[in-house]
Amino acid sequence: MVNFSLEGKIALVTGASYGIGFAIASGLAEAGAKIVFNDINQELVDKGVAAYKEAGIDANGYVCDVTNEEQVNSLVAQIEKEVGSVDILINNAGIIKRIPMHEMSVVEFRQVIDIDLNGPFIVSKAVIPGMMKKGHGKIINICSMMSELGRETVSAYAAAKGGLKMLTKNIASEYGEYNIQCNGIGPGYIATPQTAPLREIQPDGSRHPFDSFIIAKTPAARWGDPEDLVGPAVFLASEASNFVNGHILYVDGGILAYIGKQPK
């Protein structure tokens, strides 16, 4: 029987107070994992703990900046002391800045790279020794369709997510012999509170132009839900994926496979 159970596993999901990270962590918990998560400040951590509690999940939350190696090392040590050694890491924390490249400052570009690429490197580096010692581990990087495609105003994000795709492949290459699998999930356009303004019905009853664009580009003809990412995450976190390594699983409703509808 294929084993999708995560019973007895400890999963660290970064930036998982809300949104995609929260949905994935909740799905891992339903499969049996013990959830630990971090966020950038105490207010977000408190909101996350309350949200998990409301969902019936006993999650441990910690304040930690994933770009700060000292904080990350302290976080991993604290988790090992209070909960146990991390079996599953989901590198979910990330930001996006939608600014035309010629208007983007170097400081803004570096901030996106630091959180979206350097952060996963730092956190992965911190948990890998424990995984090597245990003889198993799962690392899942939240990539993006921008790991494959370019688009106006997201130069830093695309650069970071493209780099994260290759970091995923390299971790798989370097640590596969230790029974550590590193894969990525590339979400498509997901319906979250942050994207809600892009899906609002216009005063004349029509779709928002960006909403129409996404629907036309997606064979599934809809936005994804955060829950659409749960099954892929559980699969990649479980023993069912023990021979899957260095793969990016795009959960995009088929966008990357599709040239798009012909204009009428």
Side-chain angles (χ1 to χ4, degrees):
M1 179 179 177
V2 177
N3 186 9
F4 291 97
S5 172
L6 302 180
E7 288 292 336
K9 304 295 185 183
I10 296 167
L12 168 58
V13 188
T14 66
S17 296
Y18 61 93
I20 287 173
F22 178 83
I24 289 175
S26 298
L28 299 183
E30 189 175 345
K34 170 65 178 177
I35 301 301
V36 294
F37 73 97
N38 81 293
D39 222 310
I40 194 66
N41 60 49
Q42 191 64 54
E43 181 183 3
L44 284 172
V45 169
D46 290 343
K47 286 182 178 179
V49 169
Y52 285 110
K53 186 175 182 180
E54 185 177 348
I57 299 167
D58 180 22
N60 291 51
Y62 302 88
V63 176
C64 179
D65 178 354
V66 296
T67 70
N68 185 311
E69 187 172 18
E70 185 177 343
Q71 286 187 28
V72 169
N73 288 339
S74 295
L75 168 67
V76 172
Q78 188 175 0
I79 291 170
E80 289 181 352
K81 181 179 179 181
E82 296 178 358
V83 186
S85 181
V86 173
D87 300 290
I88 301 160
L89 168 63
I90 314 287
N91 280 311
N92 167 76
I95 63 168
I96 186 170
K97 289 182 180 291
R98 295 181 177 89
I99 304 170
M101 182 174 164
H102 69 282
E103 297 177 4
M104 184 175 234
S105 71
V106 172
V107 170
E108 290 168 327
F109 185 89
R110 284 176 174 156
Q111 184 186 13
V112 176
I113 297 294
D114 207 19
I115 296 171
D116 292 5
L117 180 56
N118 295 344
F121 166 79
I122 291 169
V123 185
S124 298
K125 179 186 173 189
V127 303
I128 282 172
M131 291 178 173
M132 292 170 68
K133 186 176 180 181
K134 294 174 81 167
H136 66 82
K138 301 282 187 175
I139 298 174
I140 303 171
N141 293 323
I142 303 303
C143 295
S144 167
M145 290 190 303
M146 298 303 110
S147 297
E148 299 289 343
L149 301 172
R151 189 172 182 274
E152 60 274 9
T153 77
V154 294
S155 58
Y157 186 77
K161 292 300 185 177
L164 186 57
K165 175 184 72 172
M166 293 312 301
L167 179 63
T168 300
K169 292 176 180 292
N170 205 81
I171 293 172
S173 302
E174 195 163 354
Y175 296 101
E177 65 179 293
Y178 297 97
N179 194 29
I180 296 171
Q181 291 83 49
C182 182
N183 295 287
I185 292 176
Y189 285 91
I190 306 298
T192 64
Q194 289 83 355
T195 61
L198 299 174
R199 290 177 281 108
E200 287 181 350
I201 298 298
Q202 303 302 288
D204 64 359
S206 65
R207 290 182 181 271
H208 187 288
F210 191 80
D211 186 18
S212 296
F213 168 69
I214 294 305
I215 296 302
K217 287 291 292 181
T218 308
R222 67 174 178 87
W223 289 62
D225 294 316
E227 290 71 25
D228 287 321
L229 302 168
V230 171
V234 170
F235 165 64
L236 291 176
S238 74
E239 293 182 8
S241 62
N242 279 352
F243 205 56
V244 179
N245 209 5
H247 178 73
I248 313 299
L249 176 53
Y250 290 100
V251 186
D252 64 355
I255 290 179
L256 287 173
Y258 189 42
I259 195 170
K261 291 182 179 179
Q262 180 178 332
K264 294 181 179 178

PDB file of all heavy atoms in Angstrom, residues 43-56:
ATOM      1  N   GLU A  43       3.056  39.415  16.096  1.00  0.00           N
ATOM      2  CA  GLU A  43       1.645  39.587  15.754  1.00  0.00           C
ATOM      3  C   GLU A  43       1.189  38.541  14.737  1.00  0.00           C
ATOM      4  O   GLU A  43       0.121  37.928  14.892  1.00  0.00           O
ATOM      5  CB  GLU A  43       1.412  40.996  15.197  1.00  0.00           C
ATOM      6  CG  GLU A  43      -0.047  41.276  14.846  1.00  0.00           C
ATOM      7  CD  GLU A  43      -0.272  42.641  14.237  1.00  0.00           C
ATOM      8  OE1 GLU A  43       0.721  43.381  14.029  1.00  0.00           O
ATOM      9  OE2 GLU A  43      -1.439  42.989  13.952  1.00  0.00           O
ATOM     10  N   LEU A  44       1.992  38.326  13.708  1.00  0.00           N
ATOM     11  CA  LEU A  44       1.637  37.322  12.701  1.00  0.00           C
ATOM     12  C   LEU A  44       1.667  35.918  13.291  1.00  0.00           C
ATOM     13  O   LEU A  44       0.793  35.091  12.985  1.00  0.00           O
ATOM     14  CB  LEU A  44       2.588  37.418  11.503  1.00  0.00           C
ATOM     15  CG  LEU A  44       2.348  38.572  10.531  1.00  0.00           C
ATOM     16  CD1 LEU A  44       3.475  38.659   9.512  1.00  0.00           C
ATOM     17  CD2 LEU A  44       1.005  38.425   9.824  1.00  0.00           C
ATOM     18  N   VAL A  45       2.650  35.648  14.132  1.00  0.00           N
ATOM     19  CA  VAL A  45       2.728  34.323  14.763  1.00  0.00           C
ATOM     20  C   VAL A  45       1.501  34.074  15.627  1.00  0.00           C
ATOM     21  O   VAL A  45       0.894  32.991  15.576  1.00  0.00           O
ATOM     22  CB  VAL A  45       4.021  34.194  15.587  1.00  0.00           C
ATOM     23  CG1 VAL A  45       3.983  32.927  16.450  1.00  0.00           C
ATOM     24  CG2 VAL A  45       5.240  34.153  14.676  1.00  0.00           C
ATOM     25  N   ASP A  46       1.104  35.082  16.417  1.00  0.00           N
ATOM     26  CA  ASP A  46      -0.074  34.931  17.277  1.00  0.00           C
ATOM     27  C   ASP A  46      -1.335  34.687  16.452  1.00  0.00           C
ATOM     28  O   ASP A  46      -2.172  33.846  16.805  1.00  0.00           O
ATOM     29  CB  ASP A  46      -0.256  36.177  18.146  1.00  0.00           C
ATOM     30  CG  ASP A  46       0.824  36.319  19.221  1.00  0.00           C
ATOM     31  OD1 ASP A  46       1.514  35.321  19.496  1.00  0.00           O
ATOM     32  OD2 ASP A  46       0.972  37.431  19.765  1.00  0.00           O
ATOM     33  N   LYS A  47      -1.473  35.434  15.340  1.00  0.00           N
ATOM     34  CA  LYS A  47      -2.633  35.231  14.459  1.00  0.00           C
ATOM     35  C   LYS A  47      -2.618  33.826  13.873  1.00  0.00           C
ATOM     36  O   LYS A  47      -3.653  33.169  13.750  1.00  0.00           O
ATOM     37  CB  LYS A  47      -2.633  36.274  13.339  1.00  0.00           C
ATOM     38  CG  LYS A  47      -3.039  37.666  13.782  1.00  0.00           C
ATOM     39  CD  LYS A  47      -3.063  38.643  12.607  1.00  0.00           C
ATOM     40  CE  LYS A  47      -3.522  40.032  13.041  1.00  0.00           C
ATOM     41  NZ  LYS A  47      -3.529  41.002  11.918  1.00  0.00           N
ATOM     42  N   GLY A  48      -1.418  33.356  13.506  1.00  0.00           N
ATOM     43  CA  GLY A  48      -1.299  32.014  12.956  1.00  0.00           C
ATOM     44  C   GLY A  48      -1.666  30.948  13.968  1.00  0.00           C
ATOM     45  O   GLY A  48      -2.436  30.021  13.661  1.00  0.00           O
ATOM     46  N   VAL A  49      -1.148  31.055  15.172  1.00  0.00           N
ATOM     47  CA  VAL A  49      -1.455  30.077  16.219  1.00  0.00           C
ATOM     48  C   VAL A  49      -2.958  30.023  16.468  1.00  0.00           C
ATOM     49  O   VAL A  49      -3.557  28.944  16.600  1.00  0.00           O
ATOM     50  CB  VAL A  49      -0.691  30.414  17.523  1.00  0.00           C
ATOM     51  CG1 VAL A  49      -1.219  29.570  18.684  1.00  0.00           C
ATOM     52  CG2 VAL A  49       0.804  30.186  17.341  1.00  0.00           C
ATOM     53  N   ALA A  50      -3.599  31.206  16.504  1.00  0.00           N
ATOM     54  CA  ALA A  50      -5.050  31.266  16.720  1.00  0.00           C
ATOM     55  C   ALA A  50      -5.811  30.608  15.570  1.00  0.00           C
ATOM     56  O   ALA A  50      -6.793  29.893  15.793  1.00  0.00           O
ATOM     57  CB  ALA A  50      -5.484  32.719  16.886  1.00  0.00           C
ATOM     58  N   ALA A  51      -5.342  30.831  14.333  1.00  0.00           N
ATOM     59  CA  ALA A  51      -6.005  30.241  13.166  1.00  0.00           C
ATOM     60  C   ALA A  51      -5.872  28.718  13.170  1.00  0.00           C
ATOM     61  O   ALA A  51      -6.837  28.002  12.875  1.00  0.00           O
ATOM     62  CB  ALA A  51      -5.421  30.813  11.878  1.00  0.00           C
ATOM     63  N   TYR A  52      -4.698  28.232  13.522  1.00  0.00           N
ATOM     64  CA  TYR A  52      -4.513  26.777  13.606  1.00  0.00           C
ATOM     65  C   TYR A  52      -5.393  26.187  14.715  1.00  0.00           C
ATOM     66  O   TYR A  52      -6.013  25.133  14.540  1.00  0.00           O
ATOM     67  CB  TYR A  52      -3.043  26.430  13.864  1.00  0.00           C
ATOM     68  CG  TYR A  52      -2.155  26.591  12.656  1.00  0.00           C
ATOM     69  CD1 TYR A  52      -1.210  27.618  12.590  1.00  0.00           C
ATOM     70  CD2 TYR A  52      -2.254  25.725  11.571  1.00  0.00           C
ATOM     71  CE1 TYR A  52      -0.395  27.779  11.481  1.00  0.00           C
ATOM     72  CE2 TYR A  52      -1.442  25.876  10.449  1.00  0.00           C
ATOM     73  CZ  TYR A  52      -0.518  26.913  10.414  1.00  0.00           C
ATOM     74  OH  TYR A  52       0.288  27.064   9.310  1.00  0.00           O
ATOM     75  N   LYS A  53      -5.434  26.879  15.847  1.00  0.00           N
ATOM     76  CA  LYS A  53      -6.248  26.390  16.967  1.00  0.00           C
ATOM     77  C   LYS A  53      -7.710  26.305  16.567  1.00  0.00           C
ATOM     78  O   LYS A  53      -8.401  25.336  16.879  1.00  0.00           O
ATOM     79  CB  LYS A  53      -6.074  27.323  18.175  1.00  0.00           C
ATOM     80  CG  LYS A  53      -6.763  26.830  19.436  1.00  0.00           C
ATOM     81  CD  LYS A  53      -6.452  27.723  20.633  1.00  0.00           C
ATOM     82  CE  LYS A  53      -7.110  27.192  21.900  1.00  0.00           C
ATOM     83  NZ  LYS A  53      -6.809  28.073  23.069  1.00  0.00           N
ATOM     84  N   GLU A  54      -8.177  27.336  15.844  1.00  0.00           N
ATOM     85  CA  GLU A  54      -9.568  27.343  15.382  1.00  0.00           C
ATOM     86  C   GLU A  54      -9.838  26.173  14.441  1.00  0.00           C
ATOM     87  O   GLU A  54     -10.946  25.637  14.385  1.00  0.00           O
ATOM     88  CB  GLU A  54      -9.864  28.666  14.675  1.00  0.00           C
ATOM     89  CG  GLU A  54     -11.324  28.827  14.272  1.00  0.00           C
ATOM     90  CD  GLU A  54     -11.609  30.185  13.645  1.00  0.00           C
ATOM     91  OE1 GLU A  54     -10.742  31.073  13.724  1.00  0.00           O
ATOM     92  OE2 GLU A  54     -12.700  30.344  13.063  1.00  0.00           O
ATOM     93  N   ALA A  55      -8.797  25.759  13.696  1.00  0.00           N
ATOM     94  CA  ALA A  55      -8.925  24.621  12.783  1.00  0.00           C
ATOM     95  C   ALA A  55      -8.690  23.286  13.479  1.00  0.00           C
ATOM     96  O   ALA A  55      -8.688  22.239  12.827  1.00  0.00           O
ATOM     97  CB  ALA A  55      -7.942  24.783  11.625  1.00  0.00           C
ATOM     98  N   GLY A  56      -8.471  23.335  14.788  1.00  0.00           N
ATOM     99  CA  GLY A  56      -8.260  22.106  15.548  1.00  0.00           C
ATOM    100  C   GLY A  56      -6.852  21.558  15.440  1.00  0.00           C
ATOM    101  O   GLY A  56      -6.622  20.367  15.661  1.00  0.00           O
TER     102      GLY A  56
END
